[in-house]
Each structure stands twice: as structure tokens, then as C-alpha cells.
Amino acid sequence: MDHINTPSYGLFFICFFVWGTNYILEAQMVPAVFVLGDSLVDVGNNNYLPLSLAKADFPHNGVDFPTHKPTGRFTNGKNAADFLAEKVGLPTSPPYLSLVSNSSKINNASFLTGVSFASGGAGIFDGTDERLRQSIPLTKQVDYLLTVCEKLKQQRGSTSAQNLLSKSLFVVVIGSNDVFGYSGSSDLRSKNTPQQYVDLMALKLKEQLKRIYNGGARKFVITGIGAIGCCPSERNKNKTEECNEETNRLSVKYNEGLTSMLQKWKSELKGISYSYLDTYSILQNFVQKPQAYGFVDVKAACCGLGNLNAKFGCLPISTYCSNRKEHLFWDLYHPTEAAHRLIADNLFDGPSQFTFPLNVRHLVAV
Ligand SMILES: *[C@@H]1O[C@H](CO)[C@@H](O)[C@H](O)[C@H]1NC(C)=O
Ligand SMILES: *[C@@H]1O[C@H](CO)[C@@H](O)[C@H](O)[C@H]1NC(C)=O
Ligand SMILES: *[C@@H]1O[C@H](CO)[C@@H](O)[C@H](O)[C@H]1NC(C)=O
């Protein structure tokens, strides 16, 4: 009914869409990509959080981005969200906060090919800094997503919006910050065993996935947590610069809970399909067989200061390496563009040992 009340918008949207599909986005494989998650896929939302310290809108971030400027991405160039969008023939989904801060964009067709809600520092759990707005926690990201789904329904009509949403990809990359949070908090550790904590993470994620499903999503792309005990910040805490086994074990435990939750969820809800990416195994392969992937240094950050460039983050005063394609890590926490590209390759076309039950190429064709 809503679209009948606003015929001009409805018409505008349909025209834009047909025009867009036929001419601009010829190779487009899905109508839209909606991205939720943390700094691994943030494309600039945190730039709009005035009080946040979790930002990457300063050099040397972005040094290899097409513009050679910082964009808010926590890496030297593009991240996995950019590469995935390229693979499905779409522009990178713009940051939600860049749209709402600009009424001409939110009222026009800017979000028709997707929106990104991802925010550096975000976790599955809300955290305690909501008032300081360091990041947009997952529950809030889903609130925003549901607002966009409603807007689409108002503008296109319920059937057409539902059709668009059911064919679109909903990418969820989250959980690393919750694992870091547990490792770093004696309070959390005293209240929960590792198993209890990761079970709570999977439970809470499932609640959010259900809300996304109720908004109209049917195709999900969900990544496990990587071997984050091997990132430079964690190695730097160990005298022999080895991976933090406890952090890695917690990540594996969570991934086990996540994969079994997803399997169960799919058997309950026949209408959904998903790709799960075993980021942990991929990262571990990078670390164990660097040469096979073109890496020379999988321990030190490219940009930073101090031992392993991991004592300080990638700040304007930090130094950065020239062989960025040979580094696994850009800064003390985040992969380089080169690593993001390989991760996206595996997500899209990956073998079933890394991406299951479907890779994204098969997911879009379902
Ligand atoms: C709003 O978006 C339009 C279209 O992309 C752009 O031309 C304009 O500069 C933006 N305004 C602000 C305040 O960012
Ligand atoms: C968005 O739509 C408004 C009218 O609703 C128009 O004035 C404006 O130019 C449009 N902006 C863009 C970027 O298309
Ligand atoms: C360093 O890492 C190794 C291998 O995980 C571990 O055996 C050792 O206890 C760690 N040392 C410290 C100080 O954490």
C-alpha cells in the first residue's frame, strides 16, 4: 500500500533500477550487498562517529587505495568488502552513516545496491561504551538495517522490496573484538568459562541473524574468526613472538559453535542459504606456508612502531614498509589489502574445505 501513497518515488526507483541493471551494472550478479561487521569490513562508518577513537581516517591508512587517501578503512588499500562487491559486479556498499548524514542520498537511490553498517571496534556484544559511541555494535547495525529494509518497502512496495532483499547478500563479519574482549577482561573470565562465553556469542549472533531474516534476508555470508592470536599485537606480548594459543583456541571454539548453530538454523528454516568462510584455516595457512601465498613477512605489521611494529598502531608518525604486498598484516590488528584480496577470493570461489556448504559464487546462483 505504501508505494501507492508515494507514486513519484516508486516510479523513480523502478526507473533507476531498470536503467541501472541494464546499462551500468551489466555484470551484476545480485541486486544488493548489505554488510554488517567490524573493522575488517568497515568502509568509513566510524568517520561519522565524532567521539570514536576506533578510526582509520588518517595516514598511512589508504596509501594504496585508488585515491591514495585514508578512507576509514583499516588497511593500506581495499578490504574484503570492496573485493566481494567487485566480484558480484557492484560498487562497494556505502557507509550507512554517510547516507543518513546526507538527506539527498538517503532519499534517492543510493542504497539500492546495498549499504554497509560495519564499524571498527564493533562486537556481537554491545560493550559498555554505547554513550561514547566508539563503534556501532551489531544490535544497532541491525536496527539500522531494518530501517533501510522498511524504507525499501515503502519506496518499492512490499513485494518488489521482498524480492530484492531475498536475492541480496547479507554479509556478517564479526566476533574478533568479543574474543579480544574476553582475553583482556579478568571480570568476563571470572564470570564465564571459555565455552560459556563462546556459546553466548553464538546465541546472541543467532538472535541478530533472526532479526535480519525477519527483515527479508535469505542469503547470508558469514565468516568465522581468524587466527587472531597470530596478529602482531598478540605476538608482541610473547617473548619468542609466538602466536597466542589461548586466543586462537577461543577463536576455534567459537567457530565450532558458530558452524553448528548455522547448520541447525538452516535445518529449522528451509528458506535460507549461506556461505561460511573458515577464516581461521585460511589465516593459519598464510602463517604456515607464507611463500605459497606470496607473503614474506607474516609476523610484523607493515605500519606501526616498536617491536614487530606492534607497540603502536598505524599513526601518522609511524613508519610503514614498502613491500606491502608481501606482508600479511598492515597494522597490529588488521590484514593488508593483499591478504583481504586472497580472503575474498576464497570467499567467492573457495574450495569446500574453506567455504561451505556453498561458496559465494554458488550462493548467488541458488
Ligand atoms: C550529498 O550527496 C550528494 C550526492 O552524492 C553530494 O553531491 C553532496 O556533496 C553531499 N552533501 C554532503 C553535505 O555531503
Ligand atoms: C535526490 O533527490 C532530490 C529530490 O528528491 C533531488 O533534488 C536531488 O538532486 C537528488 N540527488 C541526487 C544525488 O540524485
Ligand atoms: C609464548 O608462546 C609459547 C607458544 O605458544 C608459549 O609456550 C609460551 O608460554 C608463551 N610465553 C609467554 C610469556 O606467554
Side-chain angles (χ1 to χ4, degrees):
M1 286 305 280
D2 289 306
H3 64 293
I4 291 170
N5 297 334
T6 53
S8 57
Y9 270 144
L11 189 60
F12 176 81
F13 266 78
I14 289 159
C15 291
F16 178 89
F17 191 61
V18 170
W19 173 70
T21 5
N22 285 349
Y23 297 104
I24 294 190
L25 307 164
E26 222 164 1
Q28 152 178 8
M29 299 169 82
V30 292
V33 179
F34 297 91
V35 182
L36 302 101
D38 56 28
S39 56
L40 294 172
V41 285
D42 188 346
V43 291
N45 271 311
N46 281 16
N47 297 353
Y48 295 87
L49 301 179
L51 299 178
S52 178
L53 298 172
K55 285 194 183 185
D57 58 348
F58 49 78
H60 309 289
N61 297 297
V63 64
D64 296 313
F65 200 74
T67 56
H68 305 291
K69 295 229 167 71
T71 61
R73 287 165 180 79
F74 294 76
T75 187
N76 55 312
K78 296 179 179 176
N79 69 26
D82 298 298
F83 290 123
L84 183 62
E86 278 174 20
K87 285 180 186 292
V88 298
L90 290 177
T92 298
S93 305
Y96 176 73
L97 295 182
S98 78
L99 301 179
V100 290
S101 72
N102 184 330
S103 61
S104 87
K105 283 190 186 170
I106 196 75
N107 287 322
N108 294 358
S110 308
F111 54 80
L112 258 191
T113 58
V115 184
S116 172
F117 307 91
S119 164
I124 295 173
F125 298 124
D126 289 348
T128 51
D129 56 4
E130 171 63 12
R131 258 176 317 157
L132 284 174
R133 302 275 332 260
Q134 293 291 310
S135 56
I136 313 166
L138 183 62
T139 42
K140 187 93 184 171
Q141 293 185 29
V142 178
D143 293 347
Y144 289 154
L145 169 68
L146 295 178
T147 309
V148 166
C149 293
E150 268 319 299
K151 196 137 189 136
L152 276 173
K153 284 171 193 161
Q154 284 165 18
Q155 287 169 339
R156 297 178 54 106
S158 173
T159 309
S160 161
Q162 186 55 55
N163 189 38
L164 181 149
L165 292 169
S166 69
K167 291 179 178 154
S168 296
L169 298 181
F170 291 77
V171 181
V172 183
V173 179
I174 200 133
S176 302
N177 290 314
D178 302 283
V179 167
F180 281 132
Y182 182 81
S183 306
S185 159
S186 52
D187 185 43
L188 281 177
R189 288 203 306 273
S190 71
K191 285 184 184 141
N192 308 277
T193 65
Q195 190 64 55
Q196 285 168 339
Y197 186 76
V198 299
D199 287 348
L200 278 175
M201 282 173 65
L203 193 68
K204 178 94 188 202
L205 179 68
K206 187 175 183 182
E207 280 170 24
Q208 299 312 312
L209 292 178
K210 281 184 187 161
R211 294 178 67 210
I212 300 172
Y213 171 86
N214 288 334
R218 294 298 178 267
K219 295 186 178 187
F220 296 85
V221 178
I222 296 169
T223 64
I225 299 180
I228 57 176
C230 296
C231 71
S233 71
E234 295 290 299
R235 282 188 192 269
N236 183 44
K237 293 178 191 157
N238 186 298
K239 280 203 177 59
T240 50
E241 298 180 350
E242 290 181 76
C243 301
N244 184 328
E245 294 304 332
E246 205 181 309
T247 307
N248 276 348
R249 267 198 299 276
L250 198 58
S251 305
V252 169
K253 223 185 252 298
Y254 167 73
N255 290 341
E256 286 166 2
L258 172 61
T259 46
S260 73
M261 177 273 275
L262 289 172
Q263 269 167 18
K264 212 159 134 249
W265 192 43
K266 170 137 176 70
S267 70
E268 289 161 17
L269 282 176
K270 302 288 178 218
I272 61 166
S273 35
Y274 68 88
S275 297
Y276 169 80
L277 180 75
D278 183 2
T279 321
Y280 190 94
S281 298
I282 294 174
L283 260 287
Q284 216 182 25
N285 267 354
F286 292 169
V287 170
Q288 287 168 355
K289 294 177 278 181
Q291 310 86 344
Y293 299 92
F295 294 119
V296 169
D297 193 332
V298 294
K299 284 185 167 184
C302 169
C303 183
L305 286 173
N307 185 46
L308 296 176
N309 277 336
K311 220 164 151 52
F312 293 95
C314 185
L315 304 169
I317 56 155
S318 302
T319 55
Y320 65 100
C321 64
S322 56
N323 60 337
R324 296 184 285 280
K325 291 194 169 131
E326 296 174 349
H327 268 260
L328 172 52
F329 289 100
W330 164 241
D331 65 12
L332 73 181
Y333 294 118
H334 302 104
T336 52
E337 176 185 81
H340 275 291
R341 186 193 300 275
L342 289 171
I343 290 167
D345 287 348
N346 272 293
L347 185 55
F348 194 71
D349 271 317
S352 56
Q353 102 228 45
F354 291 148
T355 314
F356 49 86
L358 301 168
N359 61 27
V360 173
R361 185 186 287 283
H362 293 146
L363 180 68
V364 300
V366 166

